Amino acid sequence: MKKLTFLFIVLASSMLCYAENPQWLNFTNGNEINAIVEEGNTMWVGTDGGLVSIDKTTGDPTFYNKANSGLPDNDVTSIAIDGSGNKWIGTWTDGLAMFDGTNWAVYNELNSGLPSNNITSIAIDGSGTKWIGTWRGLAKFDGSNWTVYNTSNSDLPSDGVESIAIDGSGAKWIGTYDGLAKFDGTNWTVYNTTNLDLPNNDVRSIAIDGSGTKWIGTDIFGGLAKFDGINWTVYNTTNSDLPSDDVESIAIDGSGAKWIGTYDGLAMFDGTNWTVYNTENSGLPNNGVTSIAIDGSGTKWIGTWGGLAKFDGKNWTVYNTTNSGLPNNGVTSIAIDGTGTKWIGTLYYDGLGAFNENGIPSGR
């Protein structure tokens, strides 16, 4: 089959004016956008065609790949930046890279304590320790020593780590294919369907609100789980107005309201009341919501399989290929930098890919 095309674009704010187009600027590298991270005046973008750094003032990109740099693999899955400005770059098949702006160091199964070369996620705690999710467990790296946690030597419920979040106390919350684990540095606590805490063991997303409450999005047939440290509450299509039990993204606004993206619409939950937005009752262009970002003014930017939606609480604005510089309508990731500029990763099926009844590419 012909290779499907993915693109990365930036929607420039009024503070960033490029000669070619003062509103939209397109960057293309690789076939998929997996990570977008801001560092001062630079945006770092991980793609499956390499790593890109973009100067936010000039718009000039610099491309790093296996051929022209120390990057061990062109398929970049995750990026984290430590307090010294070092970039930690996870790749799909060839381990972890550290880039200090000049020099590269590569960590893999052969030369380090990394348990797998398949990196899924990276988080850095307050002490600068790196926590790396892989297909074969969780790795901790303090700059000198490696510690690996897996199902054989710890209470990690699965070696397949999908997501990592660190709360205000420094505890790590690790989402896996077989449950959620909390690790405080000494003790493990596991939450899964067996102990009736989680509605589904496939944990896709974790968000922590201002009070320290964890909001956990799970795979289909699961829904959304809330954990306040003592009590669990599960929200699904049978006991709430959550429009789908397949939760893809969670964002929390300044008032503490949760915005939940699902494959059948967007939900806002203020702790008591639910408001559901879909193609029938709002300006949402497609019910398959993949990503949500909230800017400094509280405006929601919602990525869908039918374009990008902006919602200011009253009015909807939709950006798509026909009315804007958006190169294609499958929006998969959104980041907002310190200037308010929106950086949007997109995906497009070129007619050869099938979509389901919700307008979502099959198999997603």
Side-chain angles (χ1 to χ4, degrees), residues 325-342:
L326 197 69
N328 38 68
N329 291 330
V331 175
T332 55
S333 56
I334 308 169
I336 301 175
D337 69 23
T339 68
T341 299
K342 287 75 188 176

Side-chain angles (χ1 to χ4, degrees), residues 77-80 88-93 95-96 114-124 129-141 146-150 156 158-166 172-177 188:
T77 58
S78 49
I79 306 168
W88 295 83
I89 302 134
T91 75
W92 189 239
T93 60
L96 177 72
L114 202 65
S116 168
N117 289 335
N118 306 107
I119 310 298
T120 59
S121 51
I122 307 169
I124 301 175
T129 298
K130 289 75 188 174
W131 297 83
I132 303 119
T134 81
W135 277 5
R136 289 201 292 272
L138 175 71
K140 170 187 174 183
F141 181 50
W146 291 85
T147 306
V148 174
Y149 305 95
N150 54 39
L156 192 70
S158 168
D159 289 339
V161 175
E162 291 191 271
S163 52
I164 307 169
I166 302 175
K172 286 72 187 175
W173 295 80
I174 303 118
T176 79
Y177 290 109
W188 290 85

Side-chain angles (χ1 to χ4, degrees), residues 248-264:
E248 291 296 305
S249 53
I250 306 169
I252 301 172
D253 68 22
S255 68
K258 286 71 192 176
W259 294 79
I260 302 122
T262 80
Y263 268 0
D264 200 23

Side-chain angles (χ1 to χ4, degrees), residues 200-217:
N200 185 293
N201 286 335
D202 190 349
V203 176
R204 290 190 169 182
S205 53
I206 306 168
I208 303 174
D209 67 22
S211 67
T213 297
K214 285 72 186 176
W215 296 82
I216 300 113

Side-chain angles (χ1 to χ4, degrees), residues 9 11 24 266 277-289 299-331 334 344:
I9 72 141
L11 165 61
W24 294 83
L266 174 72
Y277 304 93
N278 54 42
T279 55
E280 295 182 357
N281 68 3
S282 74
L284 198 68
N286 186 285
N287 287 334
V289 176
T299 297
K300 286 74 188 176
W301 295 82
I302 302 129
T304 80
W305 292 114
L308 176 71
K310 171 187 174 183
F311 180 50
D312 63 9
K314 294 182 179 179
N315 302 305
W316 291 82
T317 306
V318 173
Y319 303 94
N320 55 39
T321 56
T322 61
N323 69 359
S324 72
L326 197 69
N328 38 68
N329 291 330
V331 175
I334 308 169
I344 302 105

